[in-house]
Amino acid sequence: GAVVSQHPSWVICKSGTSVKIECRSLDFQATTMFWYRQFPKQSLMLMATSNEGSKATYEQGVEKDKFLINHASLTLSTLTVTSAHPEDSSFYICSARDLSGGGGQPQHFGDGTRLSIL
Amino acid sequence: GQNIDQPTEMTATEGAIVQINCTYQTSGFNGLFWYQQHAGEAPTFLSYNVLDGLEEKGRFSSFLSRSKGYSYLLLKELQMKDSASYLCAVRDRDYKLSFGAGTTVTVR
């Protein structure tokens, strides 16, 4: 089945640091990838839609200058949390939709990145 | 946008059946998905409904009624490994998913 790889899985860093998270579709091409954030005991909240070769689309309330998204190829999207602060600590998850898959072409999720800002 | 409601918690015994209900209000329905999420892990895809009716996949089945804005996920022959959070998600015409808060199922 479709596999999405996300790296790193865990990051601990000081306040003010910028952190880059990578999301790769391993066995399929993804023109669109999605970035979510999940706080403890809450559901996934969509942050932005990453589009290959064009600008990302951000959800209301998400600062595009804070969360930089680059979708440079059909298999890679990156999310950079710039000048991270403790309130940015969360579980960040990416997903990609396999257009060649059947069954509704579901989004397949990476393993997530747990970000802790000290 | 989407407004998605599902119960917070359910508990059942091993071997039993549990039904998790999900109601939604949507602007542009394009499919409903169920995902399973174990603590600290990413969600994994379970089922998809876009037309009314029941979709069966082994021990898991999912039902959809578009006119009622209602779906359920049925888990049969519960096993300990089924203890997890189950997320109902509605897709819109831009292929974006909106998730419910999740139902934590505990199997005893």
Side-chain angles (χ1 to χ4, degrees):
Chain A
V3 177
V4 175
S5 172
Q6 189 172 339
H7 177 81
S9 56
W10 201 299
V11 179
I12 302 174
C13 57
K14 293 181 180 178
S15 185
T17 307
S18 291
V19 178
K20 180 189 270 190
I21 304 169
E22 292 187 347
C23 181
R24 295 180 185 273
S25 55
L26 295 187
D27 50 0
F28 66 100
Q29 293 182 331
T31 55
T32 303
M33 292 184 177
F34 303 88
W35 288 95
Y36 295 84
R37 183 166 52 183
Q38 186 176 33
F39 292 105
K41 297 191 182 297
Q42 296 185 26
S43 192
L44 284 78
M45 295 299 295
L46 179 65
M47 298 175 66
T49 303
S50 171
N51 304 299
E52 188 268 334
S54 64
K55 289 182 180 179
T57 306
Y58 290 82
E59 296 300 301
Q60 194 172 9
V62 178
E63 301 174 56
K64 62 181 180 182
D65 295 330
K66 171 80 172 173
F67 300 99
L68 301 179
I69 291 173
N70 184 16
H71 196 150
S73 76
L74 286 172
T75 59
L76 174 64
S77 174
T78 60
L79 168 69
T80 301
V81 184
T82 61
S83 186
H85 292 287
E87 59 266 28
D88 298 321
S89 298
S90 187
F91 191 47
Y92 291 85
I93 313 176
C94 71
S95 73
R97 188 163 65 97
D98 180 6
L99 298 182
S100 65
Q105 301 170 353
Q107 290 181 25
H108 297 279
F109 288 84
D111 287 335
T113 298
R114 192 160 301 282
L115 177 62
S116 295
I117 308 298
L118 304 177
Chain B
Q2 329 284 4
N3 187 14
I4 302 166
D5 289 312
Q6 53 182 126
T8 306
E9 294 179 331
M10 301 183 76
T11 301
T13 55
E14 210 171 0
I17 299 173
V18 69
Q19 177 175 315
I20 307 171
N21 296 324
C22 172
T23 58
Y24 63 90
Q25 295 172 322
T26 181
S27 53
F29 179 81
N30 190 22
L32 187 142
F33 296 79
W34 285 95
Y35 284 84
Q36 180 191 61
Q37 186 179 26
H38 285 99
E41 299 180 10
T44 54
F45 168 68
L46 289 180
S47 70
Y48 162 72
N49 296 73
V50 69
L51 299 176
D52 292 350
L54 188 68
E55 293 286 339
E56 296 189 81
K57 238 183 176 184
R59 293 189 299 114
F60 295 171
S61 304
S62 59
F63 172 83
L64 175 68
S65 168
R66 288 171 296 170
S67 62
K68 295 181 180 177
Y70 167 70
S71 173
Y72 67 72
L73 178 70
L74 195 68
L75 314 179
K76 303 176 202 172
E77 301 168 21
L78 278 176
Q79 302 174 10
M80 297 298 289
K81 67 178 182 179
D82 297 329
S83 292
S85 181
Y86 291 85
L87 309 176
C88 174
V90 175
R91 185 170 69 184
D92 67 16
R93 299 202 187 284
D94 293 325
Y95 292 91
K96 293 194 290 188
L97 288 179
S98 295
F99 285 84
T103 299
T104 300
V105 172
T106 303
V107 181
R108 293 182 174 170

